[in-house]
Amino acid sequence: MVAMAALAAVAIAQEQTPVEVPARPPVDAPELARLGRYAVGVQRTRFVQPGQADPLQGQDRPAIVDRELPVVIWYPAASAGQGITYHTALSGEDGRDVPFDLPGLASQDRPVAGGRFPLVILAHGYGNTPEVLSWLGENLASKGYVVVAPAFRDPPISIRTDAARAGPIARRPLDIAFVAHEAQRRASARDGIFASADLARTALIGYSMGGYGVLTVGGAPLNPAMAGLSRGILGPYAAGGAKASELAVPGVKAIVALSPAARFGDVPIWTGKGVGAITAPTLIVVGDHDRVVGHEAVRALFTTPAPAPRYLLTFQQAGHSIALVAAPPAMRQRFWDMDWFEDAVWRKDRLLPIQTHFITAFLDRYVKGEMDKDAYLNGLTVQSDAGRWPGAPVGRVAQYSPGPPASTVWKGFQPGRAVGMTFEYRPAP
């Protein structure tokens, strides 16, 4: 009875422990992770694309249905209101949804701030939801970006059938292209919240399966063999196919791929120059112990010759779960549920702000054209641990490194916090 009472007390304490808003960085976060000057608004809508092949339906061939995608939009707001609580769910080991809540920074349906802001398409991974990427969507909105995050409604990841696997493979690039085109169309028509989005300055961000999607939509030509993994759906969109051009999104200034899927078994995803055909600057983020997509396969995306700048941020000892929020209390009771969120080595309140820092520098530089952000991206020592700051105070130093020439500690990091990472840069030819 004593043991049972102790367990009950622990459970109650977990439920009552306050969860920090993921978009708000802690005090040891790097400089550019801090929130921007705008309040953050959030709206929800639905995009419907008629006559789409659904690999999860149909017997001999995929059924043709109207494809409906719920969409979360984070945007710069004119004023703040009460912070939202997100209600969402991820699939458990038995395939049934496990619901949980996440605190948000955004306020529902606030008036949009004045101005025109770059458009960001934010694509989640297999079995995820937009809400688990709120750390990035809300943070970018506070810095003057309109972030559009569709919910792809994947089948439970524990289902191992060929049709279930074909669902995300087939639909992810098609859905991302459709959402980007539809958001740009509404921006051009000055429709509602999209009137504040500048379609000529578009960025694509994707995690895991979403990373595969944004690299494909960003210009990497699909291998025709991908038709076999998608119940034939991707055949017309592969290199040389009649619909290949429909995947192209105009106005893309930058691409961010977080732990992107780079292979599906023995089938190469892309053909020809592969990701080397992408003409937009690209930032890739991965853990060197990622056993889901494979660190070496992702690293090859960085080393492939390309006509635009490439960046690679690697977290040493990190696995695949680098881009979701920290596990909420409801997802900490079973290993399967917690493993969606938590890395074996890295704290989430370190992983997410570091990614936010570099993504902010990258988008500000290549989408907004802020040249001063080059100092946060170029000329850094490859190994974060190798940085030195002569003359810096000894002990706990809270100030940010100014970067070269005064310091080789990565610019914007506190001296004791630039550890356990590598950052590599390949300039355009």
Side-chain angles (χ1 to χ4, degrees), residues 362-383:
F362 179 70
L363 296 185
D364 285 355
R365 166 63 183 86
Y366 289 105
V367 179
K368 291 185 177 179
E370 298 178 2
M371 302 299 293
D372 63 306
K373 296 304 194 302
D374 266 335
Y376 296 90
L377 299 168
N378 302 334
L380 305 183
T381 58
V382 172
Q383 295 283 344

Side-chain angles (χ1 to χ4, degrees), residues 38-171:
Y38 293 100
V40 179
V42 61
Q43 286 190 7
R44 295 180 183 273
T45 187
R46 291 179 180 268
F47 289 174
V48 179
Q49 187 178 24
Q52 294 300 296
D54 185 349
L56 302 177
Q57 301 184 50
Q59 297 298 321
D60 297 332
R61 62 178 61 88
I64 303 301
V65 300
D66 290 348
R67 177 80 170 159
E68 184 175 298
L69 296 174
V71 177
V72 178
I73 308 157
W74 290 290
Y75 59 92
S79 60
Q82 182 175 359
I84 192 172
T85 296
Y86 299 107
H87 309 288
T88 187
L90 299 187
S91 62
E93 192 169 7
D94 60 1
R96 292 182 293 183
D97 282 351
V98 181
F100 56 91
D101 293 342
L102 291 172
L105 183 73
S107 303
Q108 191 81 29
D109 299 324
R110 301 299 295 176
V112 67
R116 298 295 298 279
F117 307 104
L119 174 67
V120 175
I121 309 299
L122 180 59
H124 65 69
Y126 193 159
N128 302 162
T129 65
E131 289 81 2
V132 296
L133 296 177
S134 60
W135 62 274
L136 183 56
E138 290 187 339
N139 192 287
L140 290 178
S142 79
K143 295 166 178 170
Y145 292 89
V146 175
V147 182
V148 178
F152 299 110
R153 301 183 298 122
D154 298 322
I157 200 168
S158 58
I159 298 177
R160 304 296 185 182
T161 65
D162 290 342
R165 186 186 188 208
I169 290 175
R171 292 305 320 178

Side-chain angles (χ1 to χ4, degrees), residues 24-31 347 349-350 353 397-400 414 417:
R24 182 178 291 119
V27 294
D28 66 344
E31 181 181 3
R347 294 173 10 225
D349 64 352
R350 289 295 297 153
V397 182
Q399 66 190 95
Y400 299 122
Q414 294 136 330
R417 292 297 190 263

